[in-house]
């Protein structure tokens, strides 16, 4: 996990060491109840990434995913001044 400050945002990036999400499935992974082909073999039910997206959006943030040798998820949230 990598955390950094970028302008007025905090950015958290997490990469996996397991199965890589195929690039052609990336547009769908944040949909409620969506499971990638390889994930259907596990115990998940496909709501985790949808919840991450909904919470991130509610906080005026952004969540993205990128696949290569690993799948990397990036959550960027605004910093609020008190």
């Amino acid at each position: 996990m990598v955390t950094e400050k970028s302008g007025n945002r905090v950015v958290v990036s997490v990469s996996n060491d397991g199965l890589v999400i195929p690039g052609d499935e990336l547009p769908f992974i944040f949909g409620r109840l969506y499971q990638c082909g390889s994930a259907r073999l596990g115990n998940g039910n496909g709501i985790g990434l949808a919840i991450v997206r909904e919470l991130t959006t509610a906080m005026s943030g952004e969540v993205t995913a990128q696949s290569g040798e690993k799948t990397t998820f990036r959550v960027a949230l605004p910093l609020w001044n008190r």
Side-chain angles (χ1 to χ4, degrees), residues 58-82:
M59 293 185 282
S60 301
E62 178 183 31
V63 60
T64 58
Q66 183 177 15
S67 279
E69 291 181 23
K70 297 181 176 187
T71 300
T72 301
F73 293 91
R74 181 178 174 269
V75 175
L77 297 169
L79 295 172
W80 289 288
N81 293 326
R82 291 184 172 215

Side-chain angles (χ1 to χ4, degrees), residues 1-5 9-15 62-64 72-77:
M1 179 171 72
V2 176
T3 305
E4 63 186 73
K5 183 179 175 188
R9 304 187 112 187
V10 63
V11 179
V12 178
S13 299
V14 178
S15 297
E62 178 183 31
V63 60
T64 58
T72 301
F73 293 91
R74 181 178 174 269
V75 175
L77 297 169

Side-chain angles (χ1 to χ4, degrees), residues 6-78:
S6 177
N8 63 346
R9 304 187 112 187
V10 63
V11 179
V12 178
S13 299
V14 178
S15 297
N16 73 340
D17 290 330
L19 297 172
V20 174
I21 297 172
D24 61 339
E25 294 196 47
L26 288 177
F28 310 106
I29 62 171
F30 295 103
R32 191 171 292 271
L33 303 180
Y34 184 81
Q35 294 182 333
C36 293
S38 57
R40 290 186 197 111
L41 302 174
N43 295 325
N45 56 18
I47 63 168
L49 290 176
I51 292 171
V52 168
R53 183 190 61 190
E54 289 171 18
L55 290 173
T56 302
T57 301
M59 293 185 282
S60 301
E62 178 183 31
V63 60
T64 58
Q66 183 177 15
S67 279
E69 291 181 23
K70 297 181 176 187
T71 300
T72 301
F73 293 91
R74 181 178 174 269
V75 175
L77 297 169

